[in-house]
Amino acid sequence: MTLPYAEPLIRRDPPPRVIPEPPRVGEPGGDPCGLCDWLASFEKSEHRPPLWMDDNWALCPAKDVTIPGVVWLASRGHHDSFADLPAAHATSYGPVVARIERAILGLGGIARVHVYRWGDGSAHFHVWFYPRPLGMLEARREMLPLWADLMPPAPEEDVADADRKIAAAMAAGD
Ligand SMILES: [Zn+2]
């Protein structure tokens, strides 16, 4: 039993399918794209800058973090998925992900870094990085985001410290 819930769990029937699906954030008819606004304006606004950025990618801090070191990587433009990534994104993706993984592992006390690509939220191609705390065996595989969703918020200073260290590691690799 690795689920973050107590038994008995009751299987529910899936609701009816919603077709056509509603637009995602940043798509025509959807909510305006906050990421585009942020990337265009963070230098003159109060918002935190990305943890790291180059011409293709922006590494972003997460909100409502329960495990320090959770971050997400987004394409700077609107690209739907791997299938339509421009060549520069496609060829740099692997090396960039490796750098981020090394930066997160450098925080210490982390068994593995899980990379999740869901793609239902934003018009930007994006992947999530979830560090699994060392020894947290109940959170192996797909259980990690379920546990992360239910854990108490991490202390703000711990989250900020992890973000700072990841940003520093990424900057050192530029
Ligand atoms: Zn956008």
Side-chain angles (χ1 to χ4, degrees), residues 33 35-36 78 124:
C33 184
L35 182 56
C36 276
H78 288 190
H124 290 260

Side-chain angles (χ1 to χ4, degrees), residues 1-167:
M1 179 65 175
T2 55
L3 280 169
Y5 308 97
E7 292 184 333
L9 298 177
I10 302 169
R11 184 189 298 269
R12 60 191 280 255
D13 292 330
R17 304 273 164 93
V18 178
I19 300 173
E21 295 193 3
R24 301 177 303 170
V25 172
E27 288 182 337
D31 289 337
C33 184
L35 182 56
C36 276
D37 289 347
W38 178 46
L39 292 178
S41 69
F42 70 86
E43 284 164 334
K44 20 182 199 217
S45 73
E46 300 288 309
H47 295 121
R48 291 188 289 172
L51 302 177
W52 171 86
M53 195 163 66
D54 71 2
D55 291 342
N56 301 314
W57 303 105
L59 182 63
C60 306
K63 294 175 186 161
D64 304 322
V65 172
T66 59
I67 300 174
V70 173
V71 293
W72 55 290
L73 176 73
S75 63
R76 292 184 61 173
H78 288 190
H79 307 295
D80 186 53
S81 187
F82 288 101
D84 72 336
L85 278 183
H89 291 74
T91 53
S92 61
Y93 175 77
V96 167
V97 168
R99 286 178 62 186
I100 297 167
E101 183 179 12
R102 282 192 291 271
I104 296 172
L105 287 171
L107 298 174
I110 292 167
R112 310 196 66 78
V113 177
H114 294 327
V115 182
Y116 296 106
R117 143 79 190 156
W118 286 302
D120 278 333
S122 165
H124 290 260
F125 170 87
H126 60 288
V127 291
W128 285 90
F129 295 78
Y130 275 66
R132 180 171 69 70
L134 186 64
M136 193 178 179
L137 298 186
E138 70 279 17
R140 285 180 290 189
R141 302 183 358 167
E142 73 275 17
M143 294 298 144
L144 182 55
L146 297 180
W147 278 101
D149 206 33
L150 292 179
M151 290 163 61
E156 278 182 30
E157 59 271 24
D158 292 355
V159 177
D161 185 55
D163 285 351
R164 258 195 310 274
K165 287 175 177 166
I166 292 168

